[in-house]
Each structure stands twice: as structure tokens, then as C-alpha cells.
Amino acid sequence: MTTMPVGMPALQEVEVADRVVALVNGDGGAGLSNGVLLFGEPTTVIDTMLLPEMAAGIVTALNRRGRAAELVVNTHIHTDHIGGNLLFEGVPIIAHPRTVDGMRRMIGEPGLPALLAKVMPRFATRLADWDSTPAEPVPPAGIERALPDTARVLEFTDCHSAADLVVWLPAEQVLVTGDLCFAGVTPLAVHGRVGRWRAALDRLIALRPRVVLPGHGRPAGIEALRELADYFDRVLAAARLADAERLSAETVWARFDPGPAAGWLEPERTRVNIQVALAEISGQPFQGEHRVRQDQDPSHSH
């Protein structure tokens, strides 16, 4: 385990396959996202967590193995996956062009630190001056060429965020999902579309991975994808009920049966997910890209 500053959980290093290490960041709740190391050519870091102090654990894990990062890939725009970019000065950092476009507009926005502190109060004192380094835009095919030889890149747009990348390692049957999969943690769809995210899960399940490395939560098997698909089926059903019977999202949320998702962290996110699904069903325009608004419900911003 890598020791973290007081108030932050220790990173747990889990070797899930030859040359593939998951860096599990606490329980996966708000602000606690995972990283992944690929020890091929080049040595690759996938996602850099929320803060440089967290990303320091990534560097420690590399140093312990006598390696240094040669490539960083950001799977999507959210701050808890890009905040450690600052530690990788001089290392190529790449992401989907839509992700980079959003990063360039988001990083440095005056209202962002205050909003992040509301979303992740556990880290409020450190988020007052949150900053990051934007990635360079590379199309998914180019990212795939940059990764170790056997890695494959899958692109998903307007699902969880404007653009999400998944890395599939077919030889190892390991799927690095970024935030297209949460394990034991309720997902948040406010920057995407529930229906498209649900369809994306079918594509991932069809790969039949042996190991799923989620953006939040512990490494799992294919059951994590199936349970998340079931959860979104329930969210969509609740939204259809609200639309058909002219009920509020809050009303159907109060009646919501989470099924296998009972006991997941951050259960209040389900209300937001129902609202997003209801907006889709009722034909409201999709906003998509992250924008900072001081009057925004904090739960919508992470």
C-alpha cells in the first residue's frame, strides 16, 4: 500500500494481470477515483486522480518497479481523473479531442474550485486552488497506436461525459472502463445520457472481460457491468413511469427499488440520474459539456 497524506486513503496496488496494476483509491466515493498502470511499451498511466498528492502514489508505484511514466491517458474530462496531470511534466498526456476541448474551457474557470468544494467537501481545503494540465487532443485510433501493442481503445460519446475512452486488453481479458463502470458506487449521469450509457454497457459486456477495472470502486468481474446495466434499466423504468403518470423525479425516486444496487455508496445520485433520464424521455435539449454555474446543484457537477 502507498501511504497518503492525513485524511486521504492509502492507494491499494492490485496486480490483476501480468504487467497490469490497478491503483484502488479508497472506497471509490466522491473524489476517490482509480488509476491503472500498463507496464508495456510505453509504460502507461491511465487517469491521474483528483489531486497531485493522490497521483504521488502512482509515481511511487512506478518507482517501486523501477519504471517511470512514458505516457498518460485521461479517459474523460472529470476533475477527479485529471488533477494529477500536474505531476507528469514532460510526459505526453493525451485524451479524446472532445475531452481536451472541455478541459481547456474548464481548467482555470473562476467558479470551479468553489463548486468542487461543494461536490467533494472531504477535500474542500485542497480544492480551493485546484488546477491541472490539459491533455493534448488525439483521436481514439491515435491513442490506440500510442498504447502498448495489444491494447485496444473503444470510444463512447455522450454516455457518462462528452467523450469516454475504454481500454481493452484482449490477451489479458482486462477491461479498463474509466467511469463507464462504477463498482459498489452509484454512478452519476448528469454530463451524459442514461440511455446511451446503458447501451454502451451492452458493448462492454459483449467483450466478456475476466477483470473489470472501474473508475470508482474495487476491481471486479463482468458482474459489475451487468449490475450497472440492471441499475440503469431501473432508472429508465422510473423515468418512464414519471413521464407517463406526470410524476416528479423525486416522487419516483422515493419509490425506487435499487435491486442489486442496494447498499452502493452515494445513493442520492439516483435522484439526479432519474432527472437526467426523464429529460431524455421528455425530449429536453441535451446540455452535454461541463460548464461551471454557481447556482448549479452540487450533485450535478462531478
Side-chain angles (χ1 to χ4, degrees):
M1 269 189 194
T2 299
T3 302
M4 299 293 289
V6 174
M8 296 187 191
L11 297 185
Q12 183 179 7
E13 300 175 20
V14 182
E15 186 166 347
V16 299
D18 184 35
R19 301 188 299 173
V20 183
V21 174
L23 300 174
V24 182
N25 195 0
D27 61 13
L32 296 174
S33 67
N34 299 330
V36 176
L37 304 179
L38 305 182
F39 290 100
E41 297 295 336
T43 301
T44 302
V45 175
I46 301 178
D47 286 338
T48 63
M49 305 181 182
L50 176 67
L51 299 168
E53 298 96 303
M54 296 176 180
I58 299 174
V59 174
T60 298
L62 289 166
N63 291 344
R64 184 178 293 118
R65 293 164 174 83
R67 304 291 283 270
E70 297 172 312
L71 178 69
V72 173
V73 176
N74 294 144
T75 60
H76 64 288
I77 189 176
H78 288 159
T79 55
D80 59 329
H81 292 256
I82 68 172
N85 287 2
L86 292 167
L87 280 195
F88 296 95
E89 184 178 358
V91 179
I93 302 174
I94 60 178
H96 190 287
R98 287 185 67 182
T99 295
V100 175
D101 179 63
M103 280 185 186
R104 289 172 175 169
R105 291 185 287 108
M106 178 183 75
I107 294 171
E109 285 196 70
L112 181 62
L115 183 58
L116 294 178
K118 290 181 182 178
V119 176
M120 297 172 278
R122 178 177 183 175
F123 305 112
T125 57
R126 274 295 291 110
L127 293 169
D129 58 354
W130 185 91
D131 195 11
S132 187
T133 299
E136 291 299 316
V138 177
I143 294 175
E144 182 170 290
R145 287 192 295 270
L147 287 170
D149 286 344
T150 61
R152 298 293 176 261
V153 171
L154 288 75
E155 170 193 21
F156 298 88
T157 57
D158 299 332
C159 295
H160 159 262
S161 72
D164 286 79
L165 298 177
V166 168
V167 176
W168 169 231
L169 305 172
E172 297 84 1
Q173 293 182 287
V174 173
L175 190 65
V176 184
T177 67
D179 274 4
L180 283 181
C181 186
F182 288 56
V185 183
T186 308
L188 188 60
V190 72
H191 294 145
R193 308 195 73 165
V194 174
R196 289 177 64 88
W197 193 343
R198 173 62 185 85
L201 290 169
D202 281 340
R203 285 183 59 190
L204 300 182
I205 290 168
L207 296 171
R208 302 185 64 82
R210 177 182 61 85
V211 177
V212 173
L213 300 183
H216 295 258
R218 294 194 55 77
I222 195 172
E223 69 279 357
L225 298 171
R226 291 174 173 153
E227 289 178 359
L228 188 57
D230 176 86
Y231 168 80
F232 279 133
D233 284 340
R234 293 168 185 267
V235 167
L236 288 164
R240 286 191 291 268
L241 176 65
D243 184 60
E245 299 191 8
R246 298 182 179 274
L247 301 172
S248 68
E250 288 73 14
T251 297
V252 294
W253 177 47
R255 307 174 184 173
F256 186 76
D257 175 7
W264 286 3
L265 300 178
E266 316 283 356
E268 67 282 355
R269 292 176 174 177
T270 295
R271 176 182 60 84
V272 178
N273 294 335
I274 293 171
Q275 289 172 337
V276 172
L278 182 56
E280 294 172 27
I281 290 168
S282 61
Q284 294 181 28
F286 175 51
Q287 299 301 315
E289 301 279 356
H290 176 96
R291 299 304 297 161
V292 172
R293 293 201 349 249
Q294 288 295 326
D295 61 343
Q296 195 173 16
D297 184 329
S299 62
H300 287 206
S301 307
H302 177 69

